[in-house]
Amino acid sequence: MLTENGVLDMRNGTSARGQVVQLIDVRRVQSATVAPAGGNERYRLVISDGKFFQQAMVATSLHAQMQDVRPNAVMSVDAWTPNQVSGRIIIVIMGFTVLDADYGSRIGNPQPVEAAGDSAAARAPTGGPQPGGPQPG
């Protein structure tokens, strides 16, 4: 059901669109930056492929879609970009489709994506366009 190694591949920019992941955690957080009319609110997610989990943020343009999304929901991530922030990689989700809004239980026993070892760090994104993310055009 979930895309095998989807989180690791998204993090490293080595996968195509349509990665199916589960949301382990969904949190609405306030950004430290000043933004117009409530635009400083962000959604922080923890996404899982059943083997690994990774922190992600949702683009502000998608906030209306997040209103009814809960932990354990399953979604297809259609557009994203890995972004390095303070020495950590965060996946910024720019397009998604909810496949099951209330799956009910966690799938697998995911470990932190950093547990994938040095091969994951060696393949970390360099800042250029990534598959699944916005493409020049």
Side-chain angles (χ1 to χ4, degrees), residues 67-136:
Q67 297 303 315
D68 297 320
V69 175
R70 303 280 181 258
N72 296 325
V74 175
M75 70 168 50
S76 174
V77 181
D78 305 314
W80 70 88
T81 187
N83 201 357
Q84 193 158 30
V85 178
S86 301
R88 294 182 3 210
I89 296 173
I90 305 294
I91 296 171
V92 179
I93 297 174
M94 297 176 293
F96 68 88
T97 304
V98 175
L99 303 176
D100 188 339
D102 190 19
Y103 186 76
S105 63
R106 186 175 295 181
I107 299 170
N109 184 24
Q111 303 300 310
V113 72
E114 293 82 8
D118 292 336
S119 62
R123 296 188 328 240
T126 59
Q130 303 296 324
Q135 300 298 315

Side-chain angles (χ1 to χ4, degrees), residues 1-116:
M1 172 179 210
L2 303 180
T3 302
E4 185 175 351
N5 291 319
V7 168
L8 183 62
D9 289 343
M10 288 170 67
R11 172 188 172 90
N12 296 321
T14 57
S15 59
R17 291 182 168 99
Q19 301 297 303
V20 178
V21 298
Q22 184 176 40
L23 304 182
I24 294 177
D25 192 28
V26 179
R27 291 183 192 254
R28 197 168 26 177
V29 297
Q30 296 295 318
S31 173
T33 60
V34 176
N40 63 342
E41 185 175 271
R42 304 280 186 256
Y43 282 91
R44 183 173 54 206
L45 311 176
V46 177
I47 59 174
S48 165
D49 59 18
K51 183 174 182 182
F52 296 112
F53 66 84
Q54 161 78 45
Q55 192 173 105
M57 298 294 284
V58 176
T60 55
S61 61
L62 302 176
H63 284 189
Q65 290 178 256
M66 291 298 299
Q67 297 303 315
D68 297 320
V69 175
R70 303 280 181 258
N72 296 325
V74 175
M75 70 168 50
S76 174
V77 181
D78 305 314
W80 70 88
T81 187
N83 201 357
Q84 193 158 30
V85 178
S86 301
R88 294 182 3 210
I89 296 173
I90 305 294
I91 296 171
V92 179
I93 297 174
M94 297 176 293
F96 68 88
T97 304
V98 175
L99 303 176
D100 188 339
D102 190 19
Y103 186 76
S105 63
R106 186 175 295 181
I107 299 170
N109 184 24
Q111 303 300 310
V113 72
E114 293 82 8

